[in-house]
Every structure is written in C-alpha cells, then in structure tokens.
Amino acid sequence: MGELINVAQERLRAQGGRMTIQRRLLFSILDSLGEHPTAEELLLLARKQDPDLNLSTVYRTLRWLEAESLVSSRVFAEERRQERFDAALPSEHHHFMCTNCKDVIEFDTDLFGAIKGQFQELSGAKVETGSIVLYGLCSKCRQTKNGNNLNLETE
Amino acid sequence: MGELINVAQERLRAQGGRMTIQRRLLFSILDSLGEHPTAEELLLLARKQDPDLNLSTVYRTLRWLEAESLVSSRVFAEERRQERFDAALPSEHHHFMCTNCKDVIEFDTDLFGAIKGQFQELSGAKVETGSIVLYGLCSKCRQTKNGNNLNLETE
DNA sequence: AAACTTATTGCGAATCATTTGCAATAATTA
DNA sequence: TAATTATTGCAAATGATTCGCAATAAGTTT
Ligand SMILES: [Mn+2]
Ligand SMILES: [Mn+2]
Ligand SMILES: [Zn+2]
Ligand SMILES: [Zn+2]
C-alpha cells in the first residue's frame, strides 16, 4: 500500500500529466482496496469522498493506469459482462470467483510456470502473460449448504 | 464432428423445441469449425448459406447451447470486448491467444488438476470449473520477427 | 394434405458497458 | 497573478448483446 500512488505520481510527472484531486482519490482507493471492483463500483466508493466524480473520469484513470501496467483488468463469468480491475502491482497471481457470492479470491501457484513452459515447448509460441480463473463455491458458501442464498448450486 | 448436431437435436426434442433451418445451420458450422468465433463472425459464416439469418437468432442459439453446456464462452483480452464461443463438447482444455495475429490455440495440461487441488486445500473452496488463458506470440508470428505486421511486440 | 398450435424468427428498439467530443475548470509554470 | 493546456463533467456516441412483437414455420392433429 502507498505504492501505487507514488509510482503513478512519478509517471504522471514524467509525462507532463497532472495530479488532480480525482486521480489522487482513485489511486488511493485502488491502492488500499483489496478487491476487484468494476468501474462503477469504484465510482461509488470514490463518490463517498468526491460526490461529483464522474464515471468517465474513472474509466480514463483506469485506462491510463492500465497502459502504465499499474492495473490489469479481466472479465469474469458473471451475469453482467463488465471488466473488473485489479490494482495489484504486476505481482503475478490468479483468481477464484465464487459462483454464489461472487467473491474473488486471489491465489498463487508455482505450477503456472511449468504450464507456460509445457505449452511453449509444444507450440513454439512465446508466452508473455496469462492467468488462471477458477469458479466454484467458496468455503463460506459451502457451509451455508446451498440453502438460503439465491443462486443455489445444487450438487 | 457430427456430435453437437445430434446431441443438440435430442435435447431440443426432449424439451419441445424445434429443429429449424437456422439452428441446424448454426449447429453444423459450430460443430465442424475448429475456431472460437464471436457471434458476429459466426453470423458471417452462416450467412453464406442463409443470407437472411439474423444476429439475434445467432445469439439466441448460442445462449441456448450454452445453457445446455454444449458451448462455452469467454472474453479474451482484445480491443473489442466481445465473447468468443467454443463449440467443443465439455472436454476441458485451455487457450492461448497470439497478441499479434489474434489466433487462438487450444492446449491441455495435466497440471491443471493439481492447481485446482492446491487451491481447494488452501482455501476450503470447492472448485467446479476454470480455465487458463495465455497470451504471447505464436510460433508463426515469432518468425515474422515483429516487422511487417502491425501490432508489433517489441522484446 | 389442410388446419391448428405455438415455438422461433427477423426486425427494430432497448439496454448495458465503455468511449468520445467539447466547453468549462483547475493544475502547473512563468 | 496571469498564461498555458491537461483534465474534468456532461451529454451524446458507440459497440455488444438483449428484448418485444407481429409474422412465419415446425411439428402435431385432424
Ligand atoms: Mn487480483
Ligand atoms: Mn476452445
Ligand atoms: Zn461464496
Ligand atoms: Zn500470431
């Protein structure tokens, strides 16, 4: 934490950009938030401190961060097919999404390198990036034996 | 090949559905096509044989197949954030997309089970599905030493 | 084979997520 | 403090997918 804000500020300066109130706010939220918000969720969070913040600004800021490789985004298999943004500085990690409560859990694995290697061998391709996404029932939702919550997963 | 059409037809019948010209056409294209088309790409292919086919019908058919677990869909990291559909009967496999030519290559790995296992242990979650997506330069594009094609990947 | 029932289609309009143009505003620099 | 121009908020545009509905056609019954 505290990382993103500083790195971003440097880069901003380096390219003649300006550190606006909106950006500072968004940077700091992203930096401390351990989640994977959509643009709209981020907007809602940010509006608690800056009620006039606009969705366009959120998108513009996210896209800039993305171009700087300071956030990444992906589309999970949800009802609404919207991007979710990940503020983690490029530490490679993967994701699990609970199909019931939609919670996202991050995880790491040493086997990912092996998989990339395997595929490169076999195909002759050069793998640059990649990620794993798992779906299922998180431990919390497993205990709540598919009863009370909507969206029950039988089996 | 030939699989999807029959399975789909059975299911259709079983639920009082009708085997229309449009569906038969789409089923057969999906079945023989070894690719991962978007709804629109599929429409274009199908229109060669049925010029009046409508995009809505394509989507409706794809969604039905999806509900029947006869196709799956995912959003790759492309310019246009659109779903790509995979007709493969639920044989688990993973994907590589070339960032240069956008080609999708399928692959399988024995290590995926281990990863799921690892995560389940650690988190207490029950993993149901999941997939790996890799990005990089396919062997073809590697050879074309990032020169002629647009979208060059330096490094 | 014609009549009947109703699932499915094509079409246009709607919706959802994201982007863009532009005039007003604010961050930096001089 | 004034001057410069990057950035913002807003409204309209775009791209992908969905929806409502009247017309059509698949499967069924006569
Ligand atoms: Mn993450
Ligand atoms: Mn596939
Ligand atoms: Zn859960
Ligand atoms: Zn390629």
Side-chain angles (χ1 to χ4, degrees), chain A residues 18-21 55-56 59-60 63 80-83:
Chain A
R18 295 173 185 182
M19 175 55 83
T20 62
I21 306 242
L55 186 57
S56 300
Y59 272 112
R60 282 187 286 234
R63 292 305 175 209
R80 312 172 57 178
R81 106 184 49 48
Q82 58 201 344
E83 293 179 70

Side-chain angles (χ1 to χ4, degrees), chain A residues 96 98-103 136-142:
Chain A
F96 165 90
C98 176
T99 48
N100 184 238
C101 70
K102 310 301 175 192
D103 243 39
L137 275 190
C138 75
S139 59
K140 218 167 281 175
C141 289
R142 280 181 84 175

Side-chain angles (χ1 to χ4, degrees), chain A residues 34-110:
Chain A
E35 287 171 50
H36 299 77
T38 63
E40 209 165 336
E41 288 170 350
L42 182 54
L43 176 70
L44 256 37
L45 285 171
R47 278 192 167 161
K48 292 182 184 169
Q49 299 178 239
D50 178 353
D52 293 335
L53 183 66
N54 191 278
L55 186 57
S56 300
T57 304
V58 173
Y59 272 112
R60 282 187 286 234
T61 302
L62 285 169
R63 292 305 175 209
W64 180 80
L65 285 166
E66 207 175 8
E68 296 292 320
S69 303
L70 297 177
V71 314
S72 63
S73 95
R74 75 200 87 254
V75 179
F76 291 98
E78 301 176 84
E79 291 284 304
R80 312 172 57 178
R81 106 184 49 48
Q82 58 201 344
E83 293 179 70
R84 291 190 169 272
F85 297 85
D86 194 338
L89 293 200
S91 59
E92 189 168 88
H93 65 265
H94 306 282
H95 300 93
F96 165 90
M97 176 177 267
C98 176
T99 48
N100 184 238
C101 70
K102 310 301 175 192
D103 243 39
V104 174
I105 304 175
E106 305 188 326
F107 69 94
D108 199 2
T109 172
D110 42 332

Side-chain angles (χ1 to χ4, degrees), chain B residues 114-133:
Chain B
I115 292 182
K116 292 201 301 205
Q118 257 184 10
F119 176 74
Q120 291 187 146
E121 293 285 299
L122 219 101
S123 66
K126 175 82 199 307
V127 175
E128 302 292 354
T129 67
S131 70
I132 305 175
V133 184

Side-chain angles (χ1 to χ4, degrees), chain B residues 30-82:
Chain B
L30 281 169
D31 203 14
S32 58
L33 188 72
E35 287 169 52
H36 299 76
T38 62
E40 210 166 336
E41 288 170 350
L42 182 55
L43 176 70
L44 255 37
L45 285 170
R47 278 192 168 162
K48 291 181 183 169
Q49 299 178 240
D50 179 352
D52 292 335
L53 184 65
N54 191 277
L55 186 57
S56 300
T57 303
V58 173
Y59 272 111
R60 281 187 287 235
T61 302
L62 285 169
R63 293 304 175 209
W64 180 80
L65 285 166
E66 207 176 7
E68 296 293 320
S69 303
L70 297 177
V71 314
S72 62
S73 95
R74 76 200 84 254
V75 179
F76 290 98
E78 301 176 82
E79 292 283 305
R80 312 170 59 178
R81 171 188 341 73
Q82 57 201 343

Side-chain angles (χ1 to χ4, degrees), chain B residues 6 24 102 131 154:
Chain B
N6 298 320
R24 195 175 355 254
K102 311 300 176 192
S131 70
T154 316

